Amino acid sequence: MEEHKTDRIEEEKVDLFRLLQEFRKVLRRLFWFPLALAILCGAFLGIRQWRSYVPMYESSVTFAVQLVSSSLTDIGGSSGYYDKAVAEQLSKTFPHLLQSELMRNKLQSAMGVGRLGGSISAQTVDNTNMFMLRVTSFDPQTAYNILNAVIEVYPEVAEYVIGQTGLTLLTEPSVAAAPYNAFRPARTMAKGACIGLAAGLILIFLYSLTRRTIREPEDVQSLLNQKCIAVLPLVRFKRREKSLDPAVSILDEQVSGSFQESIRNLRIKLLREMEKEQQKVLLVTSTMPGEGKSTVAVNLALSLSQNGAKVIFVDLDLRKPSAKKILGIKTESLGLAELLTKKGEDPADHLLQVGNSGLYLLAGDNASGNAYKALHSGRLSTLIDALREHADYIILDTPPSGILADSTSISRAADAAIYVLGAGKVERAGAADGIQFLSSSRIRLLGCVLNAAKTGSGKYGYGYGYGYGYGYGYGKYASYGSKKSAEKKYAK
């Protein structure tokens, strides 16, 4: 019983930790939302106050109330107790007196107006016989005039209620020099900004509660019912220039050894699985852009070539080709999009050799104007089959399967597939839909690769790679050849 209770508590802790992770990730991506909401709320309240602001002025006076004639005294012969009682009685009855027709008629008669144009209130000072009278109005002179009129007619009206009283002025009434409700837009806008910021953070937190992203290898099994065949650690680079976008490659000496080891482990598992069925064409896809699909595909191809295999990498993400950028290759070449429109072309004639390795690249330079038509062409399988005789393995980098149907069409030309999941980037529902969509083509799915996992020095043993570098030396490794040079290489 205690063991189950401990497990439940531990699970709740993990869930809270994941929720905070999700909140931080969403906040980093949508940080502008609470800021925009703060600006909008601050501006709204500021404009609202400015449009509705009406300056109000106040005039006030304090009295000491005494009975003019009273035989009521205490044991010491003082009437102070009864004066206090009178003041308290006046404070209770005065609001009713102000609303009475008698008071209003006398005030209007004394001022010679048909409408007072102000508000009158009365309040006693606790435990004293002091009495405060306060008049507010849109006009300072009007407030002052009403106050004087009240002082004049008040004793006469009060006599009807509690008898004859005497008022001793303790403060002199005066005309207000400034409104008591001063317009303070900065304070109002700051208040609105705080409200907007808090509302934005609450909405982001609620949104985080609804997100179920894939973060851990266990999530792949529990949320997607798939096997996680590799976990690649997050690799970060310290950037010196924002315009330069470093790519992650095992050729870069500054990339952590844990990342390189992870790629080698992925290569070993894939070789074991593909050799069982004598498969050589591997499709690599993901749910959404930005999950590191192309990075995983390129590094896997590099690792296979380092292991002595002859590998052809085909960039089939025709809408956003990136393989040449990752490898640092600037030589112009034709890709599959162009070859699909040119009958009689042998794709092997357009392979680019990467350095002196066994890796060859088939990739174009520009995005295709009609990628859907090109990838759904009947010649796609023919061209891929033509490459089979020239390589031990062919890696197909495809568009994301979560938003495009291209990978399903490409899968007909492939033997097996792996599915890349960016840690914390894709939600369960989107990943599940993408995997199901890919599985509908009946391709053999070998498993999922969790990429950019923030595992640190945790239980999976992966660290982070830090360092500088934007060229990575791909240029010095890259040499290019046609079909003849490729055949010469294969003959070795």
Side-chain angles (χ1 to χ4, degrees), residues 48-327:
R48 180 183 178 185
Q49 186 189 40
W50 172 69
R51 295 187 62 180
S52 61
Y53 173 70
V54 176
M56 296 294 293
Y57 298 88
E58 172 189 309
S59 288
S60 61
V61 66
T62 302
F63 302 98
V65 184
Q66 292 178 331
L67 292 174
V68 174
S69 60
S70 176
S71 59
L72 298 174
T73 58
D74 57 17
I75 298 176
S78 173
S79 63
Y81 170 81
Y82 301 102
D83 291 338
K84 294 178 184 179
V86 169
E88 292 178 358
Q89 181 65 21
L90 286 175
S91 67
K92 295 177 181 179
T93 59
F94 196 75
H96 301 287
L97 291 177
L98 294 178
Q99 302 300 325
S100 67
E101 290 293 328
L102 178 61
M103 173 64 82
R104 289 185 175 277
N105 291 337
K106 285 186 175 294
L107 287 176
Q108 293 173 3
S109 176
M111 296 178 64
V113 297
R115 184 173 176 272
L116 289 179
S119 176
I120 310 169
S121 61
Q123 183 179 3
T124 59
V125 180
D126 293 340
N127 300 319
T128 69
N129 64 333
M130 288 187 293
F131 186 86
M132 181 179 289
L133 195 62
R134 181 171 176 260
V135 178
T136 59
S137 178
F138 304 113
D139 178 64
Q141 187 62 47
T142 300
Y144 177 75
N145 294 339
I146 294 175
L147 182 61
N148 284 326
V150 172
I151 294 172
E152 179 182 347
V153 304
Y154 171 70
E156 182 181 351
V157 176
E159 187 176 355
Y160 287 97
V161 181
I162 58 175
Q164 190 175 6
T165 59
L167 301 179
T168 302
L169 288 177
L170 301 180
T171 59
E172 290 292 333
S174 62
V175 179
Y180 67 85
N181 61 334
F183 179 56
R184 297 183 177 89
R187 181 183 298 178
T188 303
M189 293 177 69
K191 180 180 177 182
C194 290
I195 295 174
L197 184 64
L201 292 175
I202 290 173
L203 289 175
I204 287 180
F205 181 78
L206 293 176
Y207 175 62
S208 301
L209 289 174
T210 64
R211 282 173 56 88
R212 294 290 301 276
T213 56
I214 309 300
R215 289 188 175 275
E216 306 290 344
E218 291 85 355
D219 298 338
V220 180
Q221 176 64 43
S222 61
L223 301 181
L224 300 177
N225 196 28
Q226 294 292 327
K227 179 171 62 176
C228 183
I229 58 176
V231 180
L232 306 184
L234 174 66
V235 179
R236 289 174 174 169
F237 293 91
K238 298 178 181 178
R239 299 187 179 187
R240 289 176 176 173
E241 299 180 22
K242 293 183 178 180
S243 59
L244 298 174
D245 184 18
V248 180
S249 169
I250 58 175
L251 296 182
D252 183 5
E253 295 179 354
Q254 299 186 60
V255 170
S256 65
S258 60
F259 179 83
Q260 299 184 30
E261 183 63 27
S262 300
I263 291 293
R264 283 194 291 269
N265 291 337
L266 173 61
R267 180 196 71 201
I268 292 171
K269 291 181 180 180
L270 291 179
L271 286 177
R272 185 186 305 120
E273 291 297 324
M274 295 180 71
E275 286 176 357
K276 289 180 182 179
E277 304 292 334
Q278 296 184 343
Q279 297 171 330
K280 64 166 52 181
V281 182
L282 179 68
L283 181 150
V284 181
T285 189
S286 64
T287 306
M288 303 292 291
E291 295 187 72
K293 163 185 59 66
S294 297
T295 299
V296 173
V298 168
N299 282 282
L300 177 60
L302 287 169
S303 183
L304 287 169
S305 66
Q306 288 179 345
N307 195 44
K310 301 165 185 177
V311 184
I312 296 177
F313 185 94
V314 184
D315 192 347
L316 285 171
D317 196 347
L318 305 185
R319 293 176 178 83
K320 193 177 180 180
S322 58
K324 295 181 74 172
K325 180 180 178 181
I326 295 175
L327 290 169

Side-chain angles (χ1 to χ4, degrees), residues 36-47 185 188-194 196:
L37 206 57
I39 294 173
L40 290 175
C41 288
F44 173 76
L45 289 186
I47 294 174
T188 303
M189 293 177 69
K191 180 180 177 182
C194 290

